[in-house]
Amino acid sequence: MTDRRLAPLSALEQKVLWLASWTIHNANHLRASADGLKVGGHQASSASLATIMTALYFAVLRPEDRVAVKPHASPNFHAIQYLLGNQSRAKLETFRGYKGAQSYPSRTKDGDDVDFSTGSVGLGVAQTLFSSLVQDYVKAHGWAKDQPEGRMVALIGDAEMDEGNIYEALIEGWKHGLRNTWWVVDYNRQSLDAVIREGLWQRFEAMFRNFGWDVVILKYGKLLEAAFAEPGGTRLRDWIDTCPNQLYSALCFQGGAAWRKRLIDDIGDQGPVSRLIDSRSDEELARLMTNLGGHDLATLVEAFEQIDHDRPVCFIAYTIKGFGLPLQGHKDNHAGLMTPAQMDSLRQAMKIRSGHEWDRFEGLPVAADKLEAFLAKVPFAARGVRRHAAPKIAVPETLAWPAQAAMSTQQGFGLILNEIARLDTRFADRIVTTSPDVTVSTNLGAFVNRRGLFARESLADTFRQERIPSTFNWDFSPKGQHIELGIAEMNLFIMLSALGLSHSIHGERLLPIGTLYDPFIQRGLDALNYACYQDARFILAATPSGVTLAPEGGAHQSIATPLIGIAQDGIAAFEPAFVDELATIMRFGFDYIQRDGGDDPDESTWLRDETGGSIYLRLSTRTIDQPQRAMTPELARDIVNGAYWMRRPGPNCQVVIAYTGTVAPEAIAAAGLLSETHRDVGVLAITSADRLNAGWTAAERARQRGIHTAMSHIERLIAPLSRECGFVTVIDGHPATLAWIGSVHGHRLKSLGVEHFGQTGTIGDLYRHFGIDTNAILHAAQAVVAGRPVRYLAALP
């Protein structure tokens, strides 16, 4: 283990850090007539973290370290980046404005050096843990040899520790032998609405120690420690240690006179204690009583520098919310606003001239050249740009699988991965799979058998050693390519986020695949959204899906997930019916998740395919007959673009049946029956309602901006159809997924799908019950088509 401790800071450097701390935590609040003056939560929270962030960014962190900043500390973060030359004044001046610095640090929206996006509390915290596990994965495979191991650091609000995903992540970290992770808890004992309960720090300490973390309590600063050494100091310390959180916060707000009265009232005239208190003015007493560990730079730097190991560490740093501001300690300070008079007083105290709030060194008594020299040698910024760029992994032209006459898409998914696992290629080596305790039931078993499970230390499969027959070989080793997770879906999505950013964070590209049951996307939806917001790249295979999982009842049957696929930014959703479609989509997906081009759309589809993103595959366990056909370039293109004609409509088409996914047999059967009475029936196979809809809306926006020739894939496919042609759409999911297609060219349309939680039964039973069987499709066709009645109709149940 490399000793990362620093040489002692010089007196000048200590002074500069102190000045920087005070300047930074107030910089974003000294803007005359700026919108930021109304951001009370940012004012209070950023003030409480200012010294912690100063110690980390200007003294402790190295370029390889990565930080998830507490959401409300974004003003501090942006100000630090401004001092280091990574943030522009223009963006700071438009903080929270259009294209200005973001309210919460964002990898994709901010131009400064953001490691992990934050905002939805708890997620950035867990991200650091999983990013550390990914660093171990990369190192164990012998990659990134020229990159030193970095620490993954999270700055956490104590109220943020209420988030359940943090505790789920702690369990996973313990299971995988977490290293190189620091969590710094801003223990200001206030949440948005209240002061937190007494003794919470003891629960935190016990919990972290139980999971193998070191815990460092930073309660007192140097001023208080010195006072404790004075006669009567022990009694003062005892009073602080037993003071309720609410009272301490209230006294911080009230100031020195209130401190004096309360201390004398509670402790009484005890000679040494009274002299300790009386020897200080009200201002000095207030400064002493607010000198907590999280606001004392020397205490923080000393504590951080003493860590010379790779064990995970939780620092519990006592702070005061709103420290240094008139609203410090007040329970309402999250939404509190400083008055113009208070702002002016603060400006004067800091010696900031009106109109000079954005001068980098305004009000500081140290010469600008010395400050510039100090900033130039800050270790964290020593290497300039810290984001890595990793080369792309070549993807095979086609993905093979052993063809069978009848298969399910879930089965095909497993077979495709098994064939990839046979390959001795860089492509196969860079795939990493993960799943929340459903590895076997989502058909990853064959891949894991061939490629093994990952662990930093080898562990043989006991069942195999004991010669107990088993289908699966669960050997753990540093070269394994499957990361086993517990059942928490939040952990799955944050792990995928960490794996999907490895090319940028760790300098090594991975091709992550995660699997879970389709309905349980909703259990981890916040984390999935977070991963996409960070622009993490991965393939998500969700299976089984829909009411097609008939015997298992409503608990495992999904309805809304196709709508999630359409609505979720940053991920392209597909639902193939056949395995050749799946193989085509997966081949596209492995390339798509590596793209990082511009935002200009493809003018044939109006999709931003060069930008890339993640992939969502909604798969099924239903075995259906597979088409016997050649995969032409044209067919592959249409599959990827979202739809193709399974049965091309003739010139006099009266009805088109458009289906998605596993209801293909019902749609095809209905088309055959309709053909006996209606001409030129078309069958449209929709492989991605998401990409069809995105292309259609993008083309419409382009036309509004003057590009009158813009036409999307769905518009082009159905343009030849007469306006008298009717549409029936059908999906094992919410009918709104495809209902918009009637608006493309103004066709009459009936949408079939599932709107209520499933029942137990056979597939036939449930398709009839929810109206997505062949008979229901024929009834819908009768409703949208004028003319001859449809044959073979039975009464709907």
Side-chain angles (χ1 to χ4, degrees):
M1 176 69 190
T2 302
D3 189 344
R4 295 165 50 102
R5 287 176 293 184
L6 306 176
L9 294 173
S10 69
L12 172 64
E13 289 171 334
Q14 284 277 3
K15 185 175 183 180
V16 169
L17 281 176
W18 276 107
L19 292 168
S21 170
W22 183 249
T23 300
I24 290 166
H25 93 252
N26 289 295
N28 284 69
H29 312 311
L30 289 174
R31 296 168 295 157
S33 304
D35 287 343
L37 297 181
K38 301 175 183 177
V39 189
H42 280 137
Q43 287 184 344
S45 295
S46 60
S48 68
L49 264 175
T51 316
I52 295 171
M53 294 179 69
T54 299
L56 286 170
Y57 279 96
F58 289 118
V60 177
L61 297 176
R62 293 295 181 266
E64 60 270 19
D65 299 329
R66 305 289 172 172
V67 186
V69 175
K70 176 183 170 182
H72 280 157
S74 64
N76 283 350
F77 173 80
H78 293 307
I80 288 170
Q81 296 294 317
Y82 180 50
L83 289 177
L84 294 175
N86 298 324
Q87 178 63 279
S88 72
R89 174 172 170 170
K91 288 186 177 294
L92 275 185
E93 289 181 341
T94 52
F95 176 59
R96 291 181 62 130
Y98 181 60
K99 295 190 176 180
Q102 291 285 303
S103 307
Y104 308 117
S106 168
R107 282 184 58 86
T108 56
K109 302 295 188 296
D110 278 314
D112 46 1
D113 194 13
V114 181
D115 293 318
F116 303 116
S117 299
T118 55
S120 188
V121 291
L123 296 178
V125 180
Q127 175 84 32
T128 59
L129 183 151
F130 285 101
S131 190
S132 184
L133 297 182
V134 172
Q135 179 176 242
D136 285 346
Y137 181 92
V138 167
K139 291 292 185 180
H141 283 76
W143 305 325
K145 293 180 179 179
D146 59 339
Q147 297 290 339
E149 289 185 353
R151 286 194 175 113
M152 306 295 133
V153 181
L155 306 177
I156 315 170
D158 48 6
E160 192 172 8
M161 293 294 291
D162 288 347
E163 289 291 341
N165 69 281
I166 291 177
Y167 302 99
E168 293 176 351
L170 273 178
I171 295 171
E172 209 62 63
W174 172 78
K175 287 160 53 179
H176 287 275
L178 179 68
R179 306 183 306 134
N180 292 317
T181 303
W182 285 6
W183 287 0
V184 184
V185 179
D186 174 20
Y187 195 61
N188 62 37
R189 290 153 292 161
Q190 286 187 251
S191 63
L192 271 62
D193 293 334
V195 177
I196 66 172
R197 297 293 188 269
E198 305 299 325
L200 188 59
W201 69 271
Q202 295 165 312
R203 305 297 184 269
F204 288 160
E205 181 181 21
M207 176 186 64
F208 278 98
R209 291 198 190 281
N210 285 339
F211 282 111
W213 290 56
D214 287 7
V215 180
V216 179
I217 308 294
L218 301 172
K219 187 169 186 179
Y220 301 115
K222 297 298 184 183
L223 285 178
L224 274 171
E225 292 287 2
F228 297 154
E230 297 178 23
T234 300
R235 183 70 185 89
L236 177 64
R237 181 172 190 150
D238 291 343
W239 182 91
I240 295 174
D241 285 343
T242 57
C243 181
N245 290 335
Q246 291 209 35
L247 176 58
Y248 206 90
S249 294
L251 290 170
C252 286
F253 174 74
Q254 291 173 303
W259 279 114
R260 186 180 307 281
K261 182 178 185 306
R262 189 69 191 215
L263 288 169
I264 294 300
D265 287 348
D266 286 359
I267 297 175
D269 187 1
Q270 297 188 16
V273 181
S274 298
R275 286 192 293 274
L276 187 157
I277 296 169
D278 291 341
S279 66
R280 290 162 170 85
S281 67
D282 285 353
E283 183 180 351
E284 290 169 335
L285 185 59
R287 187 180 308 119
L288 174 68
M289 298 303 289
T290 57
N291 178 236
L292 301 182
H295 297 310
D296 192 281
L297 191 64
T299 297
L300 290 165
V301 172
E302 182 180 286
F304 292 146
E305 289 181 352
Q306 285 177 352
I307 306 302
D308 60 354
H309 56 76
D310 64 2
R311 296 189 300 275
V313 183
C314 175
F315 298 90
I316 300 178
Y318 278 71
T319 62
I320 298 163
K321 191 170 182 179
F323 178 67
L325 303 176
L327 40 71
Q328 69 176 9
H330 198 290
K331 70 181 181 65
D332 298 337
N333 61 15
H334 180 77
L337 303 179
M338 290 175 63
T339 67
Q342 289 172 328
M343 295 297 296
D344 192 57
S345 295
L346 183 60
R347 179 184 293 109
Q348 292 179 32
M350 294 179 63
K351 298 180 173 57
I352 305 292
R353 294 168 294 168
S354 181
H356 290 263
E357 293 86 358
W358 294 110
D359 294 359
R360 292 174 74 222
F361 306 129
E362 177 69 10
L364 300 184
V366 179
D369 59 340
K370 291 182 179 180
L371 293 169
E372 293 286 10
F374 173 81
L375 292 172
K377 64 176 185 178
V378 167
F380 184 69
R383 297 182 204 156
V385 177
R386 296 169 53 257
R387 289 197 187 184
H388 298 292
K392 294 182 179 179
I393 310 297
V395 180
E397 287 299 317
T398 58
L399 299 181
W401 77 98
Q404 299 178 22
M407 304 172 68
S408 71
T409 48
Q410 176 178 298
Q411 179 187 4
F413 171 75
L415 292 173
I416 291 167
L417 284 182
N418 186 43
E419 293 303 309
I420 292 173
R422 296 176 188 270
L423 302 175
D424 183 18
T425 63
R426 187 163 178 259
F427 166 68
D429 292 344
R430 292 298 174 124
I431 290 177
V432 53
T433 60
T434 188
S435 185
D437 204 37
V438 288
T439 300
V440 174
S441 51
T442 55
N443 268 37
L444 282 178
F447 179 87
V448 177
N449 273 352
R450 293 189 181 278
R451 292 286 171 158
L453 293 101
F454 171 73
R456 286 194 294 113
E457 297 181 2
S458 295
L459 178 66
D461 186 337
T462 301
F463 277 75
R464 191 170 62 143
Q465 287 184 329
E466 295 295 325
R467 299 184 179 179
I468 299 173
S470 173
T471 307
F472 302 102
N473 169 24
W474 286 162
D475 280 336
F476 290 85
S477 79
K479 300 303 177 186
Q481 289 180 236
H482 177 76
I483 299 176
E484 181 188 38
L485 295 176
I487 203 165
E489 283 79 9
M490 292 289 285
N491 282 345
L492 168 73
F493 289 121
I494 303 177
M495 172 61 89
L496 287 174
S497 179
L499 291 166
L501 288 174
S502 178
H503 59 284
S504 177
I505 299 294
H506 306 298
E508 294 290 340
R509 189 176 297 278
L510 302 174
L511 303 176
I513 300 174
T515 66
L516 82 168
Y517 291 3
D518 188 60
F520 300 140
I521 282 179
Q522 289 157 282
R523 288 175 62 173
L525 190 53
D526 192 19
L528 172 61
N529 181 66
Y530 174 68
C532 292
Y533 180 62
Q534 295 209 97
D535 199 26
R537 304 302 183 86
F538 51 86
I539 293 175
L540 175 67
T543 178
S545 64
V547 299
T548 302
L549 190 64
E552 295 207 26
H556 281 183
Q557 297 172 7
S558 56
I559 297 173
T561 49
L563 297 176
I564 292 170
I566 289 177
Q568 179 59 57
D569 189 19
I571 196 166
F574 292 87
E575 186 170 355
F578 303 111
V579 176
D580 62 350
E581 297 170 358
L582 173 63
T584 300
I585 293 165
M586 287 181 66
R587 193 270 161 208
F588 164 78
F590 282 120
D591 181 69
Y592 184 75
I593 64 175
Q594 301 183 70
R595 298 179 184 179
D596 57 1
D599 287 340
D600 291 338
D602 179 334
E603 294 194 5
S604 64
T605 62
W606 293 93
L607 296 168
R608 297 181 301 165
D609 278 355
E610 290 309 307
T611 307
S614 291
I615 297 288
Y616 163 29
L617 305 173
R618 189 175 190 249
L619 307 180
S620 174
T621 51
R622 186 187 187 191
T623 298
I624 62 176
D625 292 339
Q626 300 294 301
Q628 305 300 308
R629 60 188 177 189
M631 183 55 63
T632 65
E634 293 75 21
L635 177 58
R637 178 200 64 209
D638 286 353
I639 288 170
V640 166
N641 287 342
Y644 66 93
W645 287 112
M646 169 65 73
R647 175 174 176 168
R648 189 172 295 277
N652 299 304
C653 179
Q654 295 176 287
V655 63
V656 167
I657 300 172
Y659 73 87
T660 287
T662 194
V663 293
E666 283 70 26
I668 293 169
L673 295 173
L674 280 169
S675 296
E676 294 188 20
T677 54
H678 294 77
R679 294 177 293 179
D680 299 342
V681 174
V683 178
L684 185 64
I686 296 177
T687 53
S688 176
D690 176 26
R691 285 170 61 80
L692 285 186
N693 183 267
W696 173 52
T697 56
E700 175 59 27
R701 284 194 299 271
R703 290 191 289 269
Q704 291 172 1
R705 293 169 182 166
I707 307 175
H708 302 297
T709 58
M711 182 175 286
S712 66
H713 184 56
I714 184 63
E715 290 171 311
R716 193 175 296 109
L717 282 171
I718 66 176
L721 298 174
S722 163
R723 289 292 177 89
E724 301 305 313
C725 178
F727 267 79
V728 177
T729 65
V730 58
I731 183 174
D732 181 4
H734 198 282
T737 308
L738 303 176
W740 56 272
I741 290 175
S743 299
V744 174
H745 286 316
H747 292 101
R748 294 189 306 279
L749 181 142
K750 289 287 184 180
S751 249
L752 306 181
V754 180
E755 297 178 81
H756 304 286
F757 282 104
Q759 303 286 338
T760 299
T762 67
I763 292 175
D765 291 336
L766 297 193
Y767 278 19
R768 272 193 306 277
H769 175 75
F770 290 109
I772 56 174
D773 64 343
T774 298
N775 187 52
I777 296 171
L778 293 175
H779 271 277
Q782 173 90 2
V784 297
V785 177
R788 299 176 64 183
V790 174
R791 293 180 183 173
Y792 309 111
L793 286 180
L796 289 173

